């Protein structure tokens, strides 16, 4: 009798232990690793939305993250926000996208470094009925439910108009762009270039180079352009890193008369604009971009109607309006 009782107790313990293990295995907690290597756990009782940006090296992305976190708190959802260290690491971003999809999120927000490279995984998301929300550069595809972004062509066209006015509607100019594979790189390049060609026949674009958003590489590219075209009158730097690179090149070569127009903000650009070293720049609304990427994801999950494109706006700023009430909140250091 004693032996049978012991056997029953052992069997009961094993059943209980198995139930505990099964319960633990069935919980759907998700983890995400940031670029710093830290791991965060996402609670399973909330909607989970991974947000994958193009990079982390510019303050722009930190502002986008701030907006995404604001929306996550407002709509009571869990997000993870990550991106490669630099905007040249396409393969690393693809790995992040693959890992995020492996966690079976309810939706995903994605800013593609290379739309073609990302397409197979985005097709997988679509097949799994995971809504894809594009943001900033978005995705050059019809897969995203919506894209929360600046109208980059229109913004760059405005930069072209400002450049033309500042150089007297004639002369040689050049562009340093972050890349030619993302939607932002393509649209800012084309928006600026097409506006110049259409409206300013006496302005010649002598070169367009791609610096990967890296200010050191962009500095070297801009220096080479100045050396090849000593009469150049202006540069357009198509993102924060590109603009700072151009600014550094002009400063190091002591070519202060060259007009420099940038894109985005950041402390160095803002200081340069206040001092007059940079003529001005286009600012987006990075907090709004992050906010709308998460809000639109929540709407898509709930089956609500979402506009195909969410225009988050842009403005020109220079030393005359950098501290204006409608501009200052859009700038970040």
């Amino acid at each position: 009798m004693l032996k049978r009782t012991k056997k029953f107790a052992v069997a009961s313990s094993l059943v209980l232990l198995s139930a505990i293990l099964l319960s633990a295995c069935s919980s759907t907690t998700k983890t995400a690793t940031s670029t710093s290597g830290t791991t965060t756990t996402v609670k399973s009782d909330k909607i989970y939305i991974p947000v994958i940006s193009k990079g982390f090296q510019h303050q722009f992305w930190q502002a986008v993250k701030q907006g995404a976190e604001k929306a996550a708190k407002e709509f009571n959802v869990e997000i993870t926000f990550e991106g490669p260290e630099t905007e040249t690491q396409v393969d690393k971003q693809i790995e992040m996208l693959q890992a995020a999809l492996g966690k079976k999120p309810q939706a995903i927000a994605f800013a593609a470094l290379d739309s073609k490279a990302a397409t197979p995984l985005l097709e997988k998301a679509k097949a799994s009925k995971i809504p894809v929300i594009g943001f900033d550069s978005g995705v050059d595809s019809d897969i995203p439910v919506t894209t929360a972004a600046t109208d980059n062509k229109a913004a760059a066209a405005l930069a072209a108009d400002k450049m033309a006015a500042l150089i007297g509607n004639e002369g040689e100019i050049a562009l340093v762009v972050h890349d030619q594979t993302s939607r932002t790189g393509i649209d800012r390049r084309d928006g600026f270039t097409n506006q110049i060609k259409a409206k300013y026949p006496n302005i010649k674009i002598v070169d367009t180079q791609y610096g990967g958003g890296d200010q050191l590489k962009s500095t070297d590219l801009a220096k080479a352009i100045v050396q090849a075209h000593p009469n150049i009158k202006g540069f357009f730097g198509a993102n924060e890193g590109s603009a700072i690179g151009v600014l550094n090149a002009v400063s190091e070569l002591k070519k202060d008369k060259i007009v420099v127009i940038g894109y985005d903000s950041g402390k160095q650009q803002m200081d340069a604009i206040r001092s007059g070293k940079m003529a001005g720049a286009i600012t987006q609304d990075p907090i709004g971009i992050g906010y709308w990427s998460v809000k639109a994801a929540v709407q898509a999950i709930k089956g609500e109607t979402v506009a195909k494109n969410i225009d988050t706006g842009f403005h020109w700023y220079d030393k005359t309006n950098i501290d204006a009430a409608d501009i200052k909140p859009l700038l970040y250091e």
Side-chain angles (χ1 to χ4, degrees):
M1 181 70 179
L2 181 59
K3 287 182 180 180
R4 291 177 67 183
T5 302
K6 285 182 177 179
K7 287 180 180 179
F8 178 76
V10 170
S12 298
S13 298
L14 288 173
V15 170
L16 179 61
L17 180 60
S18 297
I20 292 169
L21 289 173
L22 284 170
S23 175
C25 291
S26 67
S27 67
T28 56
T29 56
K30 304 174 179 69
T31 60
T33 304
S34 71
T35 53
S36 64
T38 58
T39 301
T40 57
T41 301
V42 181
K43 297 178 182 178
S44 60
D45 58 343
K46 289 185 179 180
I47 289 172
Y48 170 53
I49 305 166
V51 182
I52 301 176
S53 72
K54 289 167 59 180
F56 254 79
Q57 79 273 43
H58 301 316
Q59 289 301 311
F60 175 83
W61 295 115
Q62 298 307 313
V64 174
K65 181 183 178 185
Q66 183 181 341
E69 289 173 342
K70 178 183 177 182
K73 184 176 180 180
E74 180 177 333
F75 296 104
N76 194 31
V77 299
E78 292 285 348
I79 69 164
T80 49
F81 190 103
E82 59 184 337
E85 289 87 348
T86 71
E87 293 178 30
T88 59
Q89 295 176 305
V90 175
D91 290 345
K92 185 162 187 178
Q93 191 193 45
I94 296 301
E95 289 173 7
M96 289 177 172
L97 177 60
Q98 187 168 21
L101 291 174
K103 299 181 184 75
K104 295 179 171 53
Q106 282 88 344
I108 189 165
F110 185 61
L113 282 171
D114 187 327
S115 292
K116 290 182 180 178
T119 297
L121 287 174
L122 296 177
E123 291 282 4
K124 181 180 177 182
K126 183 178 180 181
S128 300
K129 301 188 185 315
I130 299 171
V132 176
I133 308 301
F135 69 96
D136 184 59
S137 64
V139 182
D140 192 9
S141 162
D142 62 356
I143 294 174
V145 175
T146 186
T147 299
T150 306
D151 184 340
N152 283 289
K153 284 187 176 181
L158 175 59
D161 289 335
K162 296 292 184 179
M163 175 69 77
L166 289 164
I167 66 171
N169 294 329
E170 62 179 5
E172 297 180 344
I173 61 173
L175 291 78
V176 176
V177 184
H178 41 296
D179 64 58
Q180 53 187 325
T181 56
S182 72
R183 195 69 260 163
T184 57
I186 295 167
D187 285 352
R188 292 177 197 174
R189 177 198 65 196
D190 292 352
F192 187 94
T193 299
N194 293 343
Q195 186 79 342
I196 292 294
K197 289 180 178 179
K199 292 182 63 177
Y200 308 103
N202 294 323
I203 296 177
K204 182 180 180 182
I205 297 174
V206 295
D207 204 351
T208 300
Q209 292 292 328
Y210 303 92
D214 180 87
Q215 59 181 268
L216 296 178
K217 185 176 180 181
S218 298
T219 297
D220 291 340
L221 291 171
K223 282 182 177 179
I225 292 172
V226 173
Q227 290 163 357
H229 303 278
N231 296 320
I232 195 165
K233 294 175 72 174
F235 270 105
F236 174 49
N239 79 337
E240 183 182 346
S242 305
I244 295 304
V246 169
L247 188 68
N248 290 341
V250 168
S251 178
E252 290 173 21
L253 294 173
K254 294 180 170 55
K255 296 285 187 177
D256 296 335
K257 290 185 178 179
I258 294 177
V259 173
V260 178
I261 287 178
Y263 207 108
D264 298 324
S265 57
K267 188 177 189 306
Q268 286 179 275
Q269 281 199 89
M270 292 165 66
D271 288 347
I273 288 171
R274 285 194 172 98
S275 70
K277 291 181 180 179
M278 182 179 285
I282 298 293
T283 180
Q284 306 182 78
D285 182 355
I287 293 175
I289 290 172
Y291 177 88
W292 274 101
S293 67
V294 173
K295 180 176 180 178
V298 173
Q299 291 174 325
I301 292 166
K302 292 180 177 179
E304 297 176 7
T305 301
V306 185
K308 188 63 178 174
N309 292 289
I310 300 170
D311 185 353
T312 53
F314 63 87
H315 299 272
W316 165 261
Y317 70 103
D318 55 27
K319 62 183 178 182
T320 68
N321 70 342
I322 191 171
D323 294 312
D326 61 332
I327 297 295
K328 195 170 183 178
L330 306 180
L331 306 179
Y332 52 88
E333 295 190 357

